[in-house]
Amino acid sequence: MQLSTNIWVWLGVFFTLSVLSFLYKDNPFYKLAEHVTVGVSIGYAIVLWWNLTVYPRFIIPVFENGHFILIIPAILGLMMVLRIVPKWSWLSRYAICFTVGGGAGMGIPRSMQASVLRQLEATMLPLSLNSATGINNIVIFIGVLTVLIYFFFSKEHKGVFGGAAKIGIWFLMVGFGATFGYTVMARLSLFIGRVLFILQDFLGLNLAG
Amino acid sequence: MLWKKQIPLAITFITGLVFGIQYFVPHRTSENLFNAYVDWEIVIGIFGGILAYISFYRAHTMRIRKKAPAWQYSLVAIGISLLMIFFGFIQGTETGTFFSNMYFYVLVSIEGTMFSLLAFYISSAAYRAFRARSAQATALLIAAIIVMLGRIPLGEQLSFWKLIWSNAPSFTDIANWILNIPNMAAKRAMNLGIGLGIMMLSLKIVLGIERSYMGSGD
């Protein structure tokens, strides 16, 4: 075992333990870690915002390449900033409406294409009882149809319709269980990552043998 | 009223209509229009960033000025953010600098641990929620256990039936089947609903029926 001499590793371990201390109860170390996260995130975001967006996408195009047309969205952007001045906050609506309107307009056909047509296309596959793929396709088809029926509340869930909705619930339950199991394992791998950081990087234990 | 409500709504309607139609027009002008819109949105987004940063510093300086409970933490948040900005611009963001070390050793450590904390809370919540009260709750429980076992090397070793029949599916195989078939069917149906929901909401926004994004007031 050889303790790390890297101050950054010590800092990483300190904050890892500070956050884990929340398992006992909320405490000043956890609160400190929380606010350090906010501070580092904001500082990180501002530097990247300048380096990756402001400078290459606004300053260079306008002041070096002469794309003065970008002054118009800049004025709209300034109007958005006026949201913090109560008297002039209504001016921010122009930029918000431009953004929301464009986004909504683009959203209609794109959502139809990506979330509806593509999903339907992927569901309508050859159905057969002669191969594993064919059977899987049947399961997918029944699953999609019955879950959709379950979410259709304009008709009372009775009779055949109600039976189909019940099958839909089974699919949903299996789906939720699978998602839960997957999420737990993803979180556990993160925890294992932190433990390995403490054991290997900080304590210098050679776990690989 | 005209300047504060009707013109903004007209802007939403016109941009919504133009970019709704733009998708169906396979012409160079249409593509140029789309690219110009993306550029404009990036510039507007820059100022959106300014608004966000002003809000952050304003909220925390207010807490400090008013000596709100635990105001010292606001001082820490502001101080650390200013340090990040200072070193980010002075030293740069390359590996080994203060900026990148703060990111890799502090931010990644804290965020990784925060997310891993959820494993503990999610498990204790599951203990209460997953008790097999009904057949459907049991299905949820079994699916979760199989997927958890299927995600670890131990799951393969626990598939004892493979000793009798080597071609039988292991926990990993069953977990993959659950994730790829019934789970995907449920997710796909939900995605279809979400897609239709987005379309309806977008249509309501373009037509001016949904106006909550404009905020309250005149």
Side-chain angles (χ1 to χ4, degrees):
Chain A
M1 191 173 90
Q2 199 179 6
L3 220 57
S4 171
T5 51
N6 185 344
I7 184 77
W8 289 105
V9 173
W10 279 75
L11 214 56
V13 170
F14 170 74
F15 283 117
T16 300
L17 297 176
S18 298
V19 174
L20 283 176
S21 69
F22 189 76
L23 285 172
Y24 171 60
K25 66 175 187 181
D26 198 2
N27 63 75
F29 288 108
Y30 179 77
K31 277 206 174 76
L32 177 74
E34 218 176 28
H35 285 78
V36 166
T37 310
V38 174
V40 175
S41 305
I42 287 283
Y44 185 80
I46 290 177
V47 173
L48 290 196
W49 167 77
W50 180 270
N51 287 348
L52 302 177
T53 318
V54 182
Y55 193 68
R57 304 301 295 260
F58 182 64
I59 292 178
I60 290 184
V62 173
F63 298 104
E64 288 185 20
N65 302 338
H67 290 157
F68 296 113
I69 189 82
L70 290 179
I71 299 287
I72 300 171
I75 292 167
L76 277 173
L78 277 172
M79 286 158 92
M80 192 186 257
V81 177
L82 282 175
R83 193 149 190 92
I84 54 174
V85 185
K87 197 182 168 189
W88 299 104
S89 67
W90 61 274
L91 276 170
S92 67
R93 285 180 181 171
Y94 286 79
I96 291 169
C97 287
F98 181 76
T99 305
V100 172
M106 285 176 189
I108 297 169
R110 282 169 180 82
S111 174
M112 183 70 183
Q113 178 70 24
S115 300
V116 181
L117 296 179
R118 284 268 161 84
Q119 302 289 340
L120 286 176
E121 192 186 323
T123 308
M124 297 192 186
L125 299 167
L127 308 178
S128 135
L129 288 169
N130 298 329
S131 67
T133 315
I135 294 168
N136 284 340
N137 291 346
I138 293 173
V139 176
I140 291 174
F141 181 75
I142 293 171
V144 173
L145 193 70
T146 54
V147 173
L148 281 175
I149 287 172
Y150 172 72
F151 282 119
F152 189 75
F153 299 115
S154 301
K155 187 172 159 50
E156 205 177 342
H157 289 183
K158 270 164 119 182
V160 178
F161 196 77
K166 272 196 182 127
I167 296 171
I169 298 175
W170 279 90
F171 272 94
L172 279 171
M173 285 300 178
V174 172
F176 290 148
T179 308
F180 174 84
Y182 199 79
T183 311
V184 168
M185 295 320 282
R187 303 298 188 211
L188 274 179
S189 11
L190 274 173
F191 181 68
I192 291 166
R194 297 322 304 157
V195 172
L196 283 177
F197 174 71
I198 293 173
L199 295 180
Q200 289 181 328
D201 296 34
F202 180 60
L203 295 176
L205 294 175
N206 187 7
L207 297 176
Chain B
M1 194 70 169
L2 177 77
W3 292 96
K4 291 183 180 177
K5 211 165 199 175
Q6 284 160 351
I7 292 181
L9 279 174
I11 292 173
T12 304
F13 180 72
I14 293 164
T15 48
L17 200 67
V18 167
F19 290 103
I21 294 169
Q22 180 276 329
Y23 181 80
F24 300 101
V25 183
H27 192 270
R28 209 171 167 178
T29 316
S30 161
E31 279 175 28
N32 290 342
L33 184 72
F34 176 77
N35 293 333
Y37 179 79
V38 172
D39 286 341
W40 279 38
E41 277 307 315
I42 288 169
V43 176
I44 293 174
I46 287 171
F47 290 88
I50 293 174
L51 185 63
Y53 305 136
I54 290 174
S55 299
F56 166 77
Y57 287 109
R58 204 163 68 154
H60 281 280
T61 44
M62 287 281 271
R63 279 174 57 83
I64 296 167
R65 206 181 294 161
K66 286 184 178 171
K67 295 270 191 294
W71 61 271
Q72 294 88 343
Y73 295 112
S74 293
L75 208 62
V76 171
I78 290 180
I80 296 271
S81 73
L82 293 177
L83 269 179
M84 284 292 282
I85 296 166
F86 178 77
F87 283 104
F89 285 127
I90 299 294
Q91 283 187 336
T93 57
E94 288 76 31
T95 314
T97 55
F98 177 88
F99 185 86
S100 93
N101 283 337
M102 281 295 276
Y103 176 78
F104 284 112
Y105 287 101
V106 177
L107 193 63
V108 170
S109 291
I110 296 174
E111 286 189 342
T113 317
M114 272 182 185
F115 281 115
S116 72
L117 271 188
L118 278 178
F120 295 96
Y121 289 108
I122 221 171
S123 307
S124 69
Y127 174 73
R128 277 166 288 189
F130 280 14
R131 269 173 293 178
R133 289 198 191 117
S134 66
Q136 286 154 347
T138 314
L140 191 146
L141 182 70
I142 292 170
I145 290 171
I146 292 174
V147 170
M148 281 193 264
L149 287 173
R151 297 284 103 192
I152 50 171
L154 187 69
E156 200 70 30
Q157 288 156 17
L158 283 176
S159 311
F160 55 87
W161 55 87
K162 282 187 78 86
L163 293 171
I164 306 158
W165 183 29
S166 60
N167 285 334
S170 63
F171 269 124
T172 313
D173 299 324
I174 302 170
N176 285 338
W177 184 82
I178 289 174
L179 282 168
N180 293 330
I181 308 297
N183 171 56
M184 195 183 64
K187 291 269 170 64
R188 187 167 285 164
M190 283 192 264
N191 279 338
L192 272 162
I194 292 167
L196 290 169
I198 293 172
M199 280 173 59
M200 290 307 114
L201 181 66
S202 302
L203 204 61
K204 278 169 80 178
I205 288 171
V206 173
L207 296 176
I209 300 165
E210 171 63 49
R211 302 175 181 187
S212 56
Y213 64 91
M214 286 172 69
S216 55
D218 291 334

